[in-house]
Amino acid sequence: MFATDPMAFQALEPARLRPDSRLVSARYGDVYHSAEGALAQAEHVFVRGSGLPQRWQGRSRFIIGETGFGLGLNFLALWQAWRADPGRCARLHVVSVEAHPMSRRELTHWHGVLLPASWLARASDLQAQWPVLTPGLHRLEFDGGAVTLTLALGEAEAVLPHIDAAVDAFLLDGFAPACNPAMWTPRVLRSLADLANAGATLATWCSTGAVRRRLIDAGFVVDQRPGFGGERDMTAAYWPHAPGPVAAAALSRVRPPGRAGVIGAGLAGTSAATALVRRGWQVTIHDGSLQRPASETGQAHPAAALGPVPDATDSPRARLLRLGAQRAQQLWQPWLGALDDDDAWVRRTGTFQVAGSRQARTPERLAAWQAGIAALQFPTSWVEPLSAREGAKRVGQAVGRDGVWLAGGLLVQPDALLCGWQQASAITRTGRTIAGWRASVGGGWVLLDATGAVCDAVDLLVLAAGPATASLWQASEPQVSVPGWVAAWHRVAGQVAWLPPARLAAGAPRAVVSGDSYVLPTTGGAVVLGSTYDHEVNWPDPAPFRAQHWPEQWRRMARLLPANEGCPAPRPAGGWAGWRAVLPDRLPVVDWLAPGLAVASGMGSRGLAWSGWLGDLLAGDVSGEPSLLTRDLRTRIGVTRFAPAAKA
């Protein structure tokens, strides 16, 4: 995924098996498990070899790091041992690195061959959540979130230095060093040391002298134990030092569950609040707009689209959007409706992304863009390059240019989703407008209204007030020098419009069509067109819908759906306008400003996508979970990416 440069793309190569009845890698020429039995090997080497279940008993969480997921048999064995143990830890987290993942079809087949009937239900749960095979991290949740699996798809040497976790036990289960030496390099083993919690153990069937010496060089204390089956020895080790640097940083963010306050009831605030509730926090959302009608707040937004936006380099922005789209589909499953139910809060309609004006300025640039997308080698179930003619078949009418089909594209009714998302959790909501906050003498934070009166006292505070976040910070933390992220902030107005589908020349599209603008399938009897991006600073608050911008919105839509080109813009049935909080690189800022104080804002026009992961990121941090984002991506959304502003 990352190659030598953490931001350089490396295409994912799925598993290739030899065409016989044994599980042998065609690439490495090595077997996936011992001939003596895969489950027995997992139990002997990895469960008992890690001192389990005794080591996790009575703990709030236990984190296991694995190299070589394969068929997931070690994960299934750990899950089985956890469920069978009445003294088990409250939460079990497994982070597993796999460079060559199986397809869901292969996984299902081999589980049926290798597993006893009593294991098939859990194996089926794993198969059902098996992700689309794209590089990066994928989060799977089981037993109501008490067991999580974070799949890190990519080469171990490239991925491990970017994992963010404090690991209690390591399982090394790659192919043999003679067959796949890249799994056992000094850099890989040093990366494990960086992730090691105090007292972390390590277990592997491998007993070569070179691997043992590299573990010792990395700081582990190494021992040999009786091996499994035909293997005379196996290797066990432990970490006798304080937590490694990555583990120490992760542990420094942990807070026991208590009272949390979230300022802002939008997508960012709701994502953070619901994720904290799932992890045992008592959460109150404060937002003055909750007590005012939508006509006064400018927040009535009928429909919006969520989809990944791939680019030819798989940039940090593209990776964050992909993660957001994948995670949102998991979080919003309870509200996912049928494709033809235009009243459903969430629908998987798919998205046809038309090549934008920059990508299609010349035939040569369009060809280069198409070649770049194809070079990513993503599964067509995730992104599929299509000609305009092929795209028209998916959309149901002619489209303006070639593009890509994104099968996971969602159509969302954001206001209804926000209400349902909040009401599904035990969240207290108030209509108070928080004007400032200050640190509490006893720890935590005190929230204040415009008169200086105390509104709430919390142990953890999330600033998610959209465009007001920067001014809220400045009102609460007056200082000579303004932090760079506050100085870089600006707000941008934008609007959408909607009209009956009969006013479009060929009716509503069957899928979301996006490019330099977007047009959505019918939602609540109307078609939504968007969106403008207006940097004017003299608009009132709330931002008004501006009729003079509507003809340009219509022209941009017609470039996507050319049946409408040359048709005069009809009168829209309605419109929405609002403010976006935007930072110069168009990425959000989601970071810790101090212990127990986080900011989650700068969503721009991608709030649906960013909200897919930001709540899990922050709530996972204070719960001690492995991070949902790699460390390089965390830097891209952190406050330190902005240089401090000049002193006043």
Side-chain angles (χ1 to χ4, degrees):
M1 177 175 63
F2 302 108
T4 304
D5 176 352
M7 307 316 296
F9 179 80
Q10 185 177 13
L12 196 64
E13 181 184 332
R16 291 185 294 114
L17 304 178
R18 284 184 179 173
D20 54 37
S21 59
R22 293 190 68 209
L23 260 172
V24 179
S25 168
R27 179 185 177 98
Y28 298 107
D30 197 7
V31 296
Y32 273 83
H33 62 82
S34 169
E36 304 295 327
L39 295 181
Q41 181 187 41
E43 171 67 23
H44 177 90
V45 176
F46 297 115
V47 178
R48 282 186 282 147
S50 299
L52 302 175
Q54 293 80 10
R55 289 187 59 233
W56 66 35
Q57 289 178 345
R59 297 180 58 165
S60 59
R61 65 183 178 278
F62 195 84
I63 299 177
I64 295 173
E66 179 185 43
T67 58
F69 184 79
L71 289 165
L73 301 185
N74 294 335
F75 170 73
L76 292 172
L78 290 163
W79 188 8
Q80 167 78 3
W82 179 86
R83 295 195 74 176
D85 180 17
R88 59 183 174 262
C89 54
R91 292 180 180 270
L92 176 65
H93 304 283
V94 178
V95 182
S96 188
V97 179
E98 178 57 62
H100 309 293
M102 297 271 187
S103 68
R104 179 185 279 113
R105 181 178 180 181
E106 290 170 324
L107 201 70
T108 302
H109 168 74
W110 288 107
H111 283 169
V113 171
L114 296 171
L115 296 178
S118 60
W119 288 53
L120 292 179
R122 279 183 291 283
S124 179
D125 288 344
L126 174 60
Q127 297 154 19
Q129 291 195 47
W130 196 242
V132 176
L133 301 183
T134 57
L137 303 189
H138 301 261
R139 176 63 54 83
L140 287 68
E141 296 179 331
F142 307 93
D143 280 344
V147 175
T148 69
L149 170 62
T150 303
L151 278 173
L153 301 185
E155 297 286 350
E157 192 168 78
V159 173
L160 277 171
H162 299 279
I163 297 296
D164 191 358
V167 177
D168 299 299
F170 295 99
L171 318 181
L172 276 57
D173 196 21
F175 293 120
C179 301
N180 185 15
M183 288 284 284
W184 309 89
T185 65
R187 185 182 182 193
V188 166
L189 301 183
R190 285 196 301 269
S191 296
L192 303 184
D194 290 341
L195 296 168
N197 200 352
T201 59
L202 182 148
T204 177
W205 54 265
C206 178
S207 61
T208 65
V211 169
R212 292 200 304 272
R213 288 190 294 273
R214 289 169 187 170
L215 285 169
I216 293 170
D217 290 343
F220 289 91
V221 174
V222 176
D223 187 22
Q224 282 183 282
R225 296 180 185 173
F228 173 78
E231 299 290 339
R232 186 181 66 181
D233 299 314
M234 62 169 277
T235 299
Y238 75 95
W239 181 254
H241 313 290
V246 175
L251 292 170
S252 70
R253 298 188 292 256
V254 177
R255 295 285 180 277
R259 298 194 69 248
V262 177
I263 304 177
L267 287 162
T270 300
S271 178
T274 55
L276 286 165
V277 167
R278 290 200 306 273
R279 291 158 177 87
W281 288 77
Q282 299 176 41
V283 182
T284 300
I285 292 177
H286 298 283
D287 192 323
S289 67
L290 292 173
Q291 64 182 3
R292 300 197 302 272
S295 59
E296 295 181 15
T297 63
Q299 292 180 346
H301 196 322
L306 167 61
V309 183
D311 59 40
T313 62
D314 203 35
S315 66
R317 181 174 181 270
R319 290 161 54 199
L320 286 165
L321 287 170
R322 180 166 73 243
L323 177 62
Q326 292 168 337
R327 188 66 180 141
Q329 294 197 41
Q330 295 170 310
L331 292 172
W332 301 341
Q333 187 68 31
W335 304 288
L336 188 65
L339 183 62
D340 59 353
D341 181 4
D342 72 357
D343 289 320
W345 297 353
V346 183
R347 284 185 283 159
R348 188 179 293 110
T349 63
T351 298
F352 184 71
Q353 182 185 327
V354 177
S357 57
R358 288 177 295 177
Q359 297 142 349
R361 192 167 294 161
T362 65
E364 292 76 17
R365 291 191 68 169
L366 176 59
W369 178 74
Q370 292 171 320
I373 296 295
L376 298 175
Q377 299 180 37
F378 286 167
T380 55
S381 59
W382 183 250
V383 55
E384 182 180 4
L386 294 178
S387 67
R389 183 175 181 179
E390 293 167 326
K393 296 177 183 177
R394 306 288 176 92
V395 172
Q397 58 180 284
V399 293
R401 284 188 292 267
D402 295 352
V404 293
W405 174 252
L406 306 163
L410 298 179
L411 179 63
V412 180
Q413 295 189 43
D415 291 328
L417 175 65
L418 279 174
C419 289
W421 201 4
Q422 292 168 10
Q423 290 171 4
S425 302
I427 296 172
T428 301
R429 307 192 316 161
T430 79
R432 298 190 186 103
T433 297
I434 303 300
W437 47 267
R438 57 177 169 80
S440 174
V441 175
W445 312 95
V446 175
L447 309 187
L448 310 171
D449 66 15
T451 69
V454 173
C455 296
D456 201 359
V458 297
D459 304 300
L460 184 147
L461 176 59
V462 180
L463 309 177
T469 303
S471 58
L472 182 66
W473 170 271
Q474 291 171 300
S476 304
E477 291 286 335
Q479 49 195 308
V480 176
S481 60
V482 176
W485 67 274
V486 174
W489 212 287
H490 64 286
R491 63 180 195 167
V492 175
Q495 69 181 37
V496 300
W498 53 90
L499 68 172
R503 295 185 187 176
L504 295 177
R510 290 200 300 256
V512 173
V513 182
S514 68
D516 295 328
S517 61
Y518 61 79
V519 56
L520 309 182
T522 304
T523 303
V527 177
V528 174
L529 281 64
S531 151
T532 64
Y533 219 74
D534 199 314
H535 291 267
E536 289 184 39
V537 296
N538 59 347
W539 283 27
D541 196 0
F545 181 82
R546 292 201 161 187
Q548 63 266 38
H549 289 185
W550 163 242
E552 176 58 24
Q553 286 182 260
W554 176 264
R555 285 191 292 270
R556 289 168 64 190
M557 179 278 299
R559 289 195 289 269
L560 298 177
L561 300 178
N564 300 281
E565 287 185 328
C567 299
R571 183 185 181 92
W576 170 93
W579 290 105
R580 307 180 181 102
V582 178
L583 290 158
D585 56 10
R586 296 294 189 268
L587 292 177
V589 56
V590 183
D591 203 357
W592 295 98
L593 307 174
L597 174 63
V599 61
S601 201
M603 303 293 107
S605 58
R606 298 289 178 184
L608 285 170
W610 310 139
S611 68
W613 49 256
L614 77 82
D616 284 314
L617 179 70
L618 296 177
D621 281 348
V622 295
S623 303
E625 299 175 9
S627 177
L628 192 65
L629 266 62
T630 50
R631 292 167 60 216
D632 59 298
L633 287 181
R634 293 196 69 142
T635 299
R636 293 295 184 132
I637 60 169
V639 295
T640 58
R641 74 187 195 260
F642 301 105
K647 290 187 178 182

